Amino acid sequence: MKKILKIALLQLTPCGSLRENLEKGRTACEEAKKLGAEIALFPEMWSNGYRIGGETREWNGDAVAADDAFVETFGRLAGELNMAIAITFLEKTKRGPRNALTLFDRRGERRMVYAKVHTCDFGAERALIPGEDFYVAELDTSCGKVKVGAMICFDREFPESARILMLKGAELILVPNACPMEINRLAQLRARAYENMLAIATCNYPDTVPDCNGNSSVFDGVAYLPGQAGSRDTCLLQADGREGIYLAGIDLEQLRRYRNTEVHGNAYRHPKKYGLLTEEKIESPFLRKDYRA
């Protein structure tokens, strides 16, 4: 029997308050479970609908702690529904607000708190504190144990993000998003899945949200199948712009067979020759006054 891991992308329009987003998010998770989902993924910063402001005080006013009732509600819900939930929020910390994701397993246990590493420092996100690392957590699902990592929006535009998650063992990367998912950004996700031989699930806001257009997607990273001539389309799902819950199923056994035999990922890399990748020096034409280490 195939091990199909079903992921629900909650492509939702946010409401005007934290409480309303909590209630709408709760209902969406319940619907996702009825559809058979093992994991439910929210778009970026669901707690405030990625409502961004230009001043730090505006961010601080919307921020909630990682153990706030908003976040903990989804932990309890995960246990009640027997379904993992990746909830996104503007996190309050002592250093300042962060763009964060908490992953609860199907028993309601907190498996990961990840903060966006590549904040958009050319815009309002400069008021946020960047995350310090990438993490991989092991989820116990009805399909068995699955190693899951996370990137948030702008993170996916750096191949290093997905690469480090692959090197840490990720089989699946969850990507909350809040921007137009046009052809080039979709191509980035396709490439990240292909070159690392892993699945990538991205949840965006629908086209009812300014500067967003839906197009939530799932790529399974399996480009070739035995006995099949040529390559296959790794895209399992690409939503349209409408609000909704979109479900995709990843064949874990197929993915693992592929990872055991194909040439990508960490099979033929030469890390000793990549020293320049860890150099911190930046030269023209990539110098930017608003860059921060």
Side-chain angles (χ1 to χ4, degrees):
M1 186 175 181
K2 286 186 176 182
K3 295 181 178 180
I4 304 298
L5 183 70
K6 294 183 179 180
I7 302 174
L9 307 179
L10 310 182
Q11 187 171 288
L12 306 174
T13 303
C15 307
S17 71
L18 183 72
R19 175 171 290 280
E20 289 174 305
N21 286 339
L22 186 153
E23 292 303 326
K24 185 167 185 175
R26 186 207 301 268
T27 299
C29 287
E30 291 169 349
E31 290 299 317
K33 179 61 180 181
K34 291 176 183 177
L35 294 173
E38 291 273 356
I39 303 173
L41 173 63
F42 281 88
E44 184 177 7
M45 210 184 291
W46 173 251
S47 63
N48 74 341
Y50 198 77
R51 183 174 65 249
I52 61 175
E55 301 293 334
T56 303
R57 63 177 180 274
E58 296 179 53
W59 289 99
N60 286 331
D62 279 347
V64 297
D67 59 356
D68 184 84
F70 174 87
V71 180
E72 292 297 330
T73 293
F74 289 97
R76 289 193 297 273
L77 184 62
E80 293 168 7
L81 296 177
N82 194 36
M83 177 184 74
I85 297 176
I87 180 63
T88 59
F89 59 105
L90 180 61
E91 182 189 9
K92 178 186 292 185
T93 75
K94 292 180 180 179
R95 295 177 58 208
R98 305 196 309 176
N99 186 339
L101 170 150
T102 291
L103 178 63
F104 292 103
D105 67 17
R106 62 176 176 155
R107 295 177 178 82
E109 297 294 324
R110 189 189 309 263
R111 302 299 298 162
M112 178 200 309
V113 178
Y114 169 70
K116 187 175 184 177
V117 168
H118 299 96
T119 50
C120 299
D121 291 345
F122 45 82
E125 278 196 358
R126 188 170 178 79
L128 300 182
I129 303 299
E132 296 178 348
D133 203 351
F134 293 93
Y135 308 105
V136 172
E138 189 171 76
L139 283 186
D140 177 29
T141 74
S142 66
C143 301
K145 296 186 185 300
V146 183
K147 293 183 178 179
V148 181
M151 308 185 294
I152 297 178
C153 201
F154 195 44
D155 284 330
R156 66 177 149 62
E157 303 208 15
F158 297 84
E160 296 87 351
S161 305
R163 181 65 85 192
I164 193 68
L165 287 168
M166 178 274 291
L167 292 173
K168 289 185 174 186
E171 301 172 285
L172 165 66
I173 300 177
L174 304 177
V175 188
N177 196 82
C179 72
M181 290 308 299
E182 40 75 55
I183 187 171
N184 297 299
R185 288 176 174 138
L186 288 166
Q188 285 178 326
L189 294 167
R190 184 186 294 274
R192 299 294 89 84
Y194 172 73
E195 65 202 11
N196 292 296
M197 294 197 294
L198 45 69
I200 296 184
T202 303
C203 186
N204 195 27
Y205 286 104
D207 57 16
T208 52
V209 176
D211 204 34
C212 291
N213 67 340
N215 282 289
S216 297
S217 62
V218 177
F219 295 90
D220 70 358
V222 179
Y224 308 102
L225 292 177
Q228 179 175 306
S231 62
R232 64 182 279 274
D233 188 355
T234 64
C235 183
L236 302 181
L237 167 70
Q238 182 179 338
D240 56 24
R242 293 175 293 179
E243 180 175 26
I245 299 172
Y246 296 86
L247 197 71
I250 297 170
D251 187 333
L252 289 176
E253 290 184 345
Q254 176 179 274
L255 175 60
R256 287 166 178 166
R257 285 195 301 269
Y258 183 75
R259 287 165 65 92
N260 277 323
T261 58
E262 271 300 336
V263 302
H264 307 295
N266 201 24
Y268 294 99
R269 294 173 65 248
H270 294 280
K272 291 182 180 179
K273 300 177 182 178
Y274 306 153
L276 188 60
L277 292 177
T278 58
E279 289 289 332
E280 296 184 5
K281 185 178 180 181
I282 302 174
E283 297 180 334
S284 179
F286 305 115
L287 297 172
R288 302 292 185 271
K289 291 181 178 180
D290 53 11
Y291 172 77
R292 57 174 171 170

